[in-house]
Amino acid sequence: MDNEVQNLENTLKDLSEAELVITMAVGAAVLLAGYRIKKVAFFIVWFIIGLNLTHYLMPWLNGAVPQIAESDLWQNLTPIAGGLLLALMGFTIEKVCVGGIVFALVIIVTMYNFGSEMQTLAIGAVVGVIAAGAAVMMMKPAIILATSLAGAYVITVGVIQLSSVGGDMYFPMLIGLTAFGALTQFLTTKRVS
């Protein structure tokens, strides 16, 4: 659990308090209104996923391209570029976007909670493909659940980063916020298709 929280804190450690609060506000919008603002939410969710994955891959990129490791500018721009690249892709294709969000969230949860060994990632990928297929078949509930989980993730990481809340509150906060966001979205989008 402590390793997981450390990974989460490393993801947002370079943000100032103001930037972290803005990020949390965007996460709250995605959490509570993700289905209503789904195109914007897709862009935001894919940006967050791309930023996280690029941060996770930075040690490998630094080893493969020494010029990135030597430059502070590239250290800061590369994760943003990874986020923007995935965000632009996710903004354009809705079904692929929903399936991809669900698959990516499963992989991120797998990496943070169970490690990044090849067998672990293979099992996570199989679960991710099954979950992504189910999500595409049930678009509205999948969009609501995926945006609720993504918003809850950003808010949870932000709260842990800004406060003295311990890492053992990660899962209760994540699950509680996801449930609250999903319930809110289901109730406010009954007549929205």
Side-chain angles (χ1 to χ4, degrees):
M1 179 67 83
D2 291 332
N3 188 27
E4 170 190 324
V5 172
Q6 187 63 36
N7 287 336
L8 295 172
E9 289 176 355
N10 287 338
T11 302
L12 299 175
K13 72 178 178 186
D14 294 332
L15 297 180
S16 68
E17 277 190 30
E19 291 170 327
L20 193 55
V21 168
I22 291 169
T23 302
M24 290 171 61
V26 170
V30 171
L31 173 75
L32 299 173
Y35 188 75
R36 288 189 181 273
I37 59 169
K38 63 184 170 185
K39 289 287 188 183
V40 174
F42 287 162
F43 186 87
I44 293 168
V45 168
W46 274 106
F47 180 80
I48 292 167
I49 290 170
L51 187 73
N52 274 307
L53 289 177
T54 307
H55 270 292
Y56 190 78
L57 294 173
M58 282 306 287
W60 178 81
L61 286 171
N62 289 338
V65 184
Q67 292 83 0
I68 292 176
E70 296 169 359
S71 170
D72 287 339
L73 178 66
W74 284 112
Q75 289 291 312
N76 293 324
L77 288 181
T78 302
I80 293 170
L84 286 174
L85 183 66
L86 282 178
L88 292 173
M89 181 199 73
F91 184 72
T92 57
I93 310 168
E94 188 170 295
K95 285 187 180 184
V96 172
C97 183
V98 170
I101 287 172
V102 171
F103 180 81
L105 287 172
V106 168
I107 293 297
I108 288 171
V109 168
T110 300
M111 287 188 311
Y112 282 143
N113 294 305
F114 304 108
S116 59
E117 294 80 31
M118 187 56 69
Q119 290 176 332
T120 305
L121 289 178
I123 293 169
V126 169
V127 172
V129 167
I130 293 168
V136 170
M137 292 184 342
M138 304 179 302
M139 285 297 285
K140 183 176 180 179
I143 291 170
I144 289 173
L145 290 175
T147 56
S148 295
L149 179 59
Y153 169 78
V154 171
I155 293 170
T156 300
V157 172
V159 167
I160 289 172
Q161 189 82 5
L162 285 175
S163 69
S164 61
V165 173
D168 45 337
M169 289 302 297
Y170 171 74
F171 281 115
M173 286 177 60
L174 184 68
I175 292 167
L177 285 170
T178 300
F180 176 75
L183 181 63
T184 301
Q185 287 191 58
F186 277 118
L187 291 174
T188 60
T189 61
K190 283 183 180 179
R191 293 181 179 90
V192 177
S193 58

